[in-house]
Amino acid sequence: MSLEITFLGTGAAFPSPARGASALVLRREGQCWLFDCGEGTQTQLMRSHLRAARITKIFITHLHGDHIFGLPGLLCTLSLQSSPDSSSKAPLDIFGPLGLRSFLQRSLELSHSQLLFPYAVHELVPTPDQCPPQEFRDFSGWDSRDGSAGRVLRLAPGEDSYLLLEDEQVEVRAFRLFHRVPSFGFVLEEKPRPGRLNVQKLKDLG
């Protein structure tokens, strides 16, 4: 399995001409997975060798602006680049903390933006110990869902991570991080693969 990582932005809080806000792309099997989407991510994508249209999954670590303010704009640009039959395509999967769905819905609604492709927001329900007590907010009542697709993922009893994706090659999990707001890290783990033996070489070596 081939994996390639491209850093689009490594700046925290303040983007600069030389460093964009947080964003990186993992390229796998012809697909691009975007991790965080700070302001200016679209521009950074255009400067890179990557194609934004190849993005099939987006993972958001937390809801601070330098990690999410670029997301509504990126989705709108992807919509402008969509073909007329994009509504029948598989949804763009977006993973992130509880409250992300509401942020996207309100941003798109207030800006009168309509996406021409389907997307699904899969929200991770945080636990209160992921941030200082005075910073914890319960966003569970904010979500009207509005018929949009996606799951709400809670930490299973006895588990310390959330299973997000699994296929024959990899498993993707989220785990809890401590920050000023609830945050998550993401782990992509390649599944064991049987090795290949060169039988003739073995025979030659006795």
Side-chain angles (χ1 to χ4, degrees):
M1 181 176 64
S2 172
L3 297 175
E4 178 186 291
I5 291 178
T6 302
F7 290 91
L8 299 176
T10 58
F14 291 99
S16 74
R19 294 178 68 192
S22 297
L24 71 84
V25 170
L26 173 71
R27 191 160 66 167
R28 174 200 174 219
E29 307 294 326
Q31 298 182 25
C32 290
W33 293 1
L34 176 65
F35 291 80
D36 281 338
C37 190
E39 183 181 356
T41 296
Q42 293 185 72
T43 307
Q44 293 296 88
L45 276 167
M46 293 173 190
R47 289 177 177 153
S48 75
H49 63 284
L50 303 168
R51 291 180 54 202
R54 297 266 184 179
I55 295 173
T56 58
K57 298 188 183 348
I58 299 174
F59 301 84
I60 301 296
T61 57
H62 62 290
L63 300 182
H64 274 154
D66 55 334
H67 293 255
I68 63 169
F69 282 166
L71 186 54
L74 175 63
L75 295 181
C76 290
T77 297
L78 291 176
S79 181
L80 290 173
Q81 296 173 349
S82 297
S83 58
D85 61 345
S86 294
S87 60
S88 60
K89 288 173 38 178
L92 170 66
D93 288 308
I94 305 172
F95 299 86
L98 193 68
L100 180 58
R101 182 196 310 272
S102 181
F103 167 74
L104 280 177
Q105 285 180 345
R106 298 300 165 255
S107 299
L108 297 173
E109 181 181 353
L110 290 171
S111 60
H112 294 252
S113 303
Q114 295 182 338
L115 302 184
L116 300 178
F117 60 88
Y119 72 96
V121 180
H122 310 285
E123 293 184 299
L124 308 173
V125 178
T127 56
D129 58 351
Q130 286 181 248
C131 66
Q134 67 273 18
E135 297 288 348
F136 186 78
R137 303 286 186 272
D138 181 4
F139 294 128
S140 56
W142 287 29
D143 182 16
S144 62
R145 293 193 69 90
D146 295 339
S148 53
R151 299 173 289 157
V152 176
L153 304 168
R154 291 178 171 81
L155 199 61
E159 293 285 336
D160 59 2
S161 62
Y162 306 67
L163 178 61
L164 307 183
L165 300 167
E166 186 175 17
D167 60 28
E168 66 281 355
Q169 290 185 317
V170 300
E171 184 176 278
V172 182
R173 288 184 171 271
F175 59 94
R176 295 170 296 163
L177 296 174
F178 186 87
H179 189 36
R180 196 160 56 84
V181 297
S183 302
F184 296 90
F186 301 99
V187 173
L188 184 147
E189 184 173 356
E190 187 175 4
K191 292 184 175 179
R193 293 181 295 168
R196 295 179 181 177
L197 288 176
N198 186 328
V199 177
Q200 186 57 50
K201 180 113 179 175
L202 290 172
K203 289 179 178 178
D204 293 344
L205 293 171

